[in-house]
Amino acid sequence: MTTKNARPPVRRLTAREVAARAGVSVSAVSRTFTTGASVAPATRERVLVAARELGYRPNLMAQSLMTGRTKLIGLVSNNFDNPAFMEIFDQFTRRLQGHGLRPLLANLSAATETAPALDMLLQYNVDGVIVASSTLPGPLIAGCRAAGLPLVHAFGRASPSHEVAVAGVDNTAGGRLAAAALVQRGYGRIAFLGGPASATSTVDRLAGLTKALSKDGLEPVRAVFGQTYSHETGQALMHELLRGGGFDAVFCGDDILALGALDACLEADVNVPKQIGILGFNDIAMAAWPAYRLTTIRQPIGNIINAAVDMITAMVEEGTTTVPSRKFSCSLVERATLRSG
């Protein structure tokens, strides 16, 4: 049975038709749309004009069979429950597309094992992999290495135990900066509210805070950790801290946790910053919203993303699995959740 007024299927134009219009060979059309292929400028122009007139778009899947490159980059993360990562994924996808590449998302959340994600990346024959997370699973490193896949760890920590290119910040230095900001403003009973205790970013930010405080004869009075980076986790952990008391400021290891902590203080009728100061980390867009105006440690997210994409692009084009890591500095962004120094 045919549906009334159903549209006929759209026929895909072929390279042969473009070649006929341009008066060139089919291989000349293929070379024109293959990055780095040799083709005379005049021939290229004739092909492009013919393609525009016909409305032709090259078949990227067919191209990948000839070039051995899919222009797919695996974008792997375990932070899909953190709304701030939508902002990060937006920047990643735009930067990749600007390089003529396409992201293939893979979820490595706590409920997902590494093997299925790695299998998917290999089945789609990705050209390289970017992991956007502070955690880099060993099996993923081993799988990419065995397959000869370039791998970049964004927002990670360089490790002597595995040679993986990293684009990120010195989280320990970020923790030291947090301690300095809090002590300068007269806070002396400082708590830490972090994400997963095993995440390198959590470990390093707390270590930097602890070491810097020790120089003033201080130490974190309490430290609490959540299983995820989410608003709900920050809210629940802050209520836990408030029930115990004994602190006058909280350094949150992530902005989304800090926003949850701020809402917990609002629910508990605790004034920020008069009664308790709250300091975040990252400087996501929501941190500047009028309802929050969060004082935070900024890591240059855009710079890290740009560096990670540039690094993976260089590795793919040069056929290498190693490039130098890139490390960026943090800075304090003052808003309204800490009292004046």
Side-chain angles (χ1 to χ4, degrees), residues 3 25 37-38 40 48 107 132 142 153 166 173 194 197 199 210 212 274 292 302 315:
T3 307
S25 67
S38 174
L48 292 176
N107 189 338
H153 189 188
V166 173
T210 303
K274 288 182 180 178
Y292 294 112
M315 293 164 82

Side-chain angles (χ1 to χ4, degrees), residues 14-315:
T14 66
R16 189 173 299 280
E17 290 170 283
V18 176
R21 170 69 70 96
V24 301
S25 67
V26 174
S27 65
V29 175
S30 175
R31 292 196 306 276
T32 296
F33 291 103
T34 300
T35 305
S38 174
V39 59
T43 301
R44 182 187 301 278
E45 182 59 26
R46 286 162 63 186
V47 170
L48 292 176
V49 168
R52 281 196 299 270
E53 290 173 351
L54 292 171
Y56 170 79
R57 296 288 183 276
N59 185 327
L60 295 180
M61 295 303 291
Q63 259 186 25
S64 72
L65 293 174
M66 293 185 292
T67 63
R69 285 184 52 185
T70 59
K71 297 189 177 181
L72 284 172
I73 299 296
L75 185 55
V76 180
S77 182
N78 61 353
N79 288 308
F80 283 81
D81 54 352
N82 186 342
F85 258 72
M86 293 305 101
E87 176 186 334
I88 288 172
F89 289 148
D90 173 62
Q91 292 190 51
F92 261 121
T93 53
R94 285 190 282 112
R95 183 70 175 183
L96 286 166
Q97 287 166 191
H99 280 263
L101 302 169
R102 294 163 294 156
L104 178 66
L105 291 182
N107 189 338
L108 279 185
S109 63
T112 307
E113 293 183 1
T114 302
L118 180 61
D119 285 345
M120 181 186 72
L121 296 174
L122 295 177
Q123 286 167 6
Y124 278 91
N125 197 27
V126 296
D127 291 335
V129 176
I130 297 174
V131 177
S133 166
S134 62
T135 303
L136 182 58
L140 185 64
I141 299 173
C144 288
R145 186 168 291 158
L149 269 181
L151 172 65
V152 172
H153 189 188
F155 306 103
R157 174 220 277 172
S159 168
S161 62
H162 54 73
E163 294 180 2
V164 175
V166 173
V169 297
D170 184 338
N171 284 300
T172 305
R176 292 196 299 267
L177 181 58
L182 292 167
V183 171
Q184 285 167 9
R185 286 157 182 76
Y187 295 106
R189 292 171 292 132
I190 298 163
F192 178 78
L193 190 162
S198 59
T200 57
S201 59
T202 300
V203 171
D204 291 349
R205 290 167 195 175
L206 177 56
L209 176 77
T210 303
K211 187 171 183 179
L213 288 179
S214 69
K215 294 179 181 178
D216 292 295
L218 302 171
E219 62 180 6
V221 294
R222 292 181 66 189
V224 291
F225 306 93
Q227 294 300 312
T228 63
Y229 294 99
S230 68
H231 179 277
E232 292 78 12
T233 295
Q235 199 169 17
L237 291 176
M238 189 64 187
H239 277 302
E240 180 183 329
L241 286 173
L242 290 171
R243 285 192 294 270
F247 64 97
D248 57 7
V250 182
F251 172 38
C252 298
D254 184 88
D255 279 351
I256 201 68
L257 296 173
L259 301 186
L262 282 168
D263 284 332
C265 288
L266 184 64
E267 291 171 349
D269 199 26
V270 171
N271 184 281
V272 177
K274 288 182 180 178
Q275 293 173 271
I276 290 175
I278 294 181
L279 177 64
F281 198 106
N282 276 337
D283 195 31
I284 62 174
M286 285 186 287
W289 286 6
Y292 294 112
R293 297 182 64 209
L294 176 68
T295 299
T296 187
I297 305 294
R298 173 185 288 158
Q299 66 169 329
I301 292 172
N303 291 345
I304 293 170
I305 289 170
N306 291 346
V309 173
D310 290 346
M311 289 159 69
I312 200 71
T313 301
M315 293 164 82

